[in-house]
Amino acid sequence: SSGINAEYGEVAAVSGCLAVGIAAVGSHLFKPADQSQLKSFEKASQMHLIHSVLLAVSPTLPNPVMTFSLIGIGTLCFSGSIYYRCFANDDNSPFKRLAPIGGMLLMLGWLSLMLPPNVMARTLGRLSKIKHSK
């Protein structure tokens, strides 16, 4: 368990560091002609930092693996696709489709906080018993 907590902490630390670094680079170097691109970048940066904090505390939550996975992948898809579009100046990027998927994963990650503790492990355990009884 402490190994997983340490790994979560490492991923959260790197994510938070990247969020701050990307925000700094963006504020100094990213000067788009289109203000909507700047707003998109700022939103991606804000979401990245907020969700890095949730990654850091995920080992203390009722369903740590589920929450960590949904938030981690959701942040990568949402913020990562927007960062790419902004820095590459490519509004037609196929990565554009990842932002709404990432947003949905982030929402599911927050909703996972409402589930009873270890719901995923208990469900998989029940499925395993059903499979072995056949």
Side-chain angles (χ1 to χ4, degrees):
S1 178
S2 64
I4 288 175
N5 290 349
E7 290 171 7
Y8 286 5
E10 291 168 3
V11 171
V14 169
S15 180
C17 180
L18 285 172
V20 171
I22 291 169
V25 167
S27 70
H28 295 291
L29 301 177
F30 183 57
K31 308 291 183 207
D34 180 3
Q35 287 302 316
S36 70
Q37 231 184 13
L38 180 61
K39 286 183 181 186
S40 292
F41 178 85
E42 289 171 345
K43 181 55 68 180
S45 180
Q46 179 184 41
M47 295 290 277
H48 185 176
L49 187 58
I50 290 167
H51 288 93
S52 293
V53 174
L54 187 55
L55 288 174
V57 301
S58 65
T60 67
L61 300 174
N63 294 288
V65 174
M66 181 187 301
T67 302
F68 184 87
S69 299
L70 290 167
I71 295 298
I73 296 167
T75 301
L76 182 64
C77 290
F78 181 82
S79 295
S81 67
I82 294 172
Y83 291 152
Y84 175 81
R85 284 191 358 240
C86 290
F87 284 124
N89 197 23
D90 184 3
D91 278 338
N92 297 317
S93 166
F95 295 122
K96 187 175 188 173
R97 295 184 184 125
L98 291 177
I101 294 168
M104 291 298 294
L105 292 172
L106 291 172
M107 289 189 286
L108 290 171
W110 282 103
L111 289 174
S112 74
L113 301 178
M114 296 184 344
L115 297 173
N118 300 312
V119 69
M120 197 163 139
R122 288 197 322 255
T123 302
L124 292 174
R126 287 185 195 127
L127 290 175
S128 176
K129 287 179 186 174
I130 291 170
K131 182 181 174 185
H132 292 305
S133 68
K134 289 184 178 184

